[in-house]
Amino acid sequence: MTAEGSADGSAEGTVEVSAAGSVDASAGGPVAGKLSFLDRWLAAWILGAMATGLVLGRLVPGMGDALAKVTVAGVSLPIALGLLTMMYPVLAKVRYDRLETVTRDRRLLLPSLLLNWVLGPAVMFALAWAFLPDLPEYRTGLIIVGLARCIAMVIIWNDLACGNREAAAVLVALNSVFQVIAFSALGWFYLSVLPGWLGLPQTALDVSVWEIARSVLIFLGIPLLTGYATRRLGEKARGRAWYEAELVPRIGPFALYGLLFTIVVLFALQGEAITSTPLDVARIALPLLVYFALMWTGSMALGRAVGLDYPKATTLAFTAAGNNFELAIAVAIATFGATSGQALAGVVGPLIEVPVLIGLVHVALAARRHFPQSDNGTPAAAQEGPTRV
């Protein structure tokens, strides 16, 4: 997902966050109340975008042909613009200058790399085959989702659960860079090599590894480079305080607008498949639910076992459980087409992720008592006074 903090920049989206990067759980009220108006009703906006797309697909004949006339890396131009729009604001928010602070913390970095790039894809691969053995297109779409690691919306859930925001931002940056390098090779391995070793049907790819890499480089590399350049140039020209307080709230909402626009177009193209096979959509949702529960619970327990404090363990759990559905959708469209079952599997993801991870925020807050406490009863590393973000 692709929003962070107050998507519309309004006071309604203000969250009390400690200087260590943790939300003050006593400030605000219920979790949903700490989200901006746009973020709080994100599931409703997604549902509305889906419905709008379905209606447009029914009422406007020949829409698919019109959208396919101009393409970028095999993706129709409107969808490509929507994908780039949703990715850029998030990557412009990342604190790239703090990468070294996390790379020095091996208790956080090594488990994060293991969970994101070894266990996460393997778990989704196993669930996809267990739940969708007879639906190869949806199964492949879920495997692609499992390869696309979190890069953005996770910062919201991390903040609301009193996680370490700086560590989350750095892990997001690290995942962004690593995806450009590793996504294509992992896709080839999990779609072609591993099924062959296990005696399972292999997915026939009509594109080369380079073509998948090109899609990743366009839809992740371009917004990553422009996001990095925006932060560097913005901070150099006006300072970090202006960048965080003025520019970020202005560009933030465009991530959501891009997501909703992309969903409208995708569902306009997917309308017939969705309305004719609603049970298939439900079957896609089920392994996603199991995936989120397994990855978050296991990551939280691992963080506790290796001695991380509550804020960092929470960051580890949410960055491991979240997925970059935008990248998964982009790759699925470029590789298999906008009307494919693979693309539909990616589109279903955001609708499931939002309510599930909001629920896991509550679970995380309840789990704080199982971590080392300070003298005043609050989790370690969350002592400083609150500041505004």
Side-chain angles (χ1 to χ4, degrees):
M1 300 296 295
T2 57
E4 177 186 351
S6 174
D8 59 3
S10 65
E12 186 176 357
T14 300
V15 178
E16 291 287 342
V17 184
S18 74
S22 303
V23 175
D24 182 354
S26 64
V31 170
K34 295 179 181 179
L35 291 171
S36 71
F37 177 75
L38 287 176
D39 292 331
R40 187 183 310 154
W41 296 100
L42 183 56
W45 307 142
I46 291 175
L47 282 172
M50 291 176 177
T52 301
L54 291 174
V55 172
L56 288 175
R58 293 289 185 177
L59 296 180
V60 183
M63 175 175 285
D65 294 336
L67 293 173
K69 285 185 178 180
V70 182
T71 63
V72 176
V75 179
S76 71
L77 182 59
I79 295 177
L81 292 176
L83 292 169
L84 292 173
T85 299
M86 75 171 77
M87 299 284 279
Y88 162 70
V90 176
L91 293 171
K93 298 173 184 178
V94 172
R95 290 282 301 274
Y96 297 96
D97 61 316
R98 296 299 301 274
L99 184 62
E100 185 179 358
T101 64
V102 171
T103 59
R104 290 198 304 261
D105 189 348
R106 294 185 178 181
R107 287 189 303 174
L108 177 62
L109 178 64
L110 295 180
S112 178
L113 292 175
L114 173 67
L115 289 165
N116 276 289
W117 298 104
V118 179
L119 293 181
V123 168
M124 187 68 87
F125 175 87
L127 291 174
W129 275 98
F131 284 90
L132 302 171
D134 57 330
L135 296 172
E137 289 191 0
Y138 301 150
R139 182 178 67 235
T140 299
L142 284 184
I143 292 173
I144 292 173
V145 167
L147 301 176
R149 311 312 301 166
C150 68
I151 67 162
M153 188 72 172
V154 65
I155 295 177
I156 288 182
W157 318 129
N158 179 73
D159 278 356
L160 293 177
C162 302
N164 187 310
R165 187 174 188 269
E166 193 60 45
V170 174
L171 290 179
V172 161
L174 189 63
N175 277 343
S176 299
V177 174
F178 207 84
Q179 281 185 87
V180 173
I181 299 172
F183 187 95
S184 299
L186 288 174
W188 169 72
F189 176 76
Y190 278 102
L191 294 176
S192 297
V193 177
L194 185 57
W197 289 353
L198 299 176
L200 301 172
Q202 296 171 270
T203 300
L205 292 177
D206 297 327
V207 294
S208 66
V209 172
W210 161 242
E211 288 175 302
I212 299 176
R214 182 182 62 178
S215 176
V216 175
L217 288 171
I218 290 174
F219 295 109
L220 181 60
I222 290 177
L224 176 63
L225 290 175
T226 54
Y228 175 79
T230 299
R231 176 170 282 278
R232 285 295 300 272
L233 296 175
E235 290 186 355
K236 183 177 181 180
R238 303 289 295 275
R240 176 163 295 170
W242 171 85
Y243 187 90
E244 297 288 351
E246 299 293 336
L247 185 59
V248 165
R250 292 178 184 176
I251 64 177
F254 288 93
L256 176 58
Y257 304 153
L259 172 64
L260 297 179
F261 173 78
T262 303
I263 289 176
V264 168
V265 177
L266 285 172
F267 272 75
L269 296 172
Q270 292 277 2
E272 184 176 353
I274 294 169
T275 55
S276 61
T277 57
L279 291 179
D280 288 350
V281 175
R283 289 187 62 183
I284 295 172
L286 185 57
L288 284 170
L289 288 170
V290 176
Y291 172 83
F292 290 134
L294 288 176
M295 288 299 297
W296 188 91
T297 304
S299 301
M300 197 73 167
L302 178 60
R304 179 68 176 85
V306 299
L308 294 178
D309 58 23
Y310 171 80
K312 288 186 177 180
T314 299
T315 297
L316 180 68
F318 280 100
T319 53
N323 289 88
N324 181 2
F325 288 102
E326 296 79 19
L327 177 60
I329 291 170
V331 172
I333 293 172
T335 306
F336 302 100
T339 60
S340 65
Q342 291 87 343
L344 177 60
V347 172
V348 172
L351 183 63
I352 305 301
E353 183 186 46
V354 172
V356 169
L357 292 189
I358 287 178
L360 288 175
V361 167
H362 291 281
V363 176
L365 293 172
R368 284 183 297 178
R369 64 181 181 271
H370 299 295
F371 287 79
Q373 304 293 307
S374 65
D375 292 339
N376 62 8
T378 59
Q383 305 292 315
E384 297 85 346
T387 58
R388 294 276 185 179
V389 293

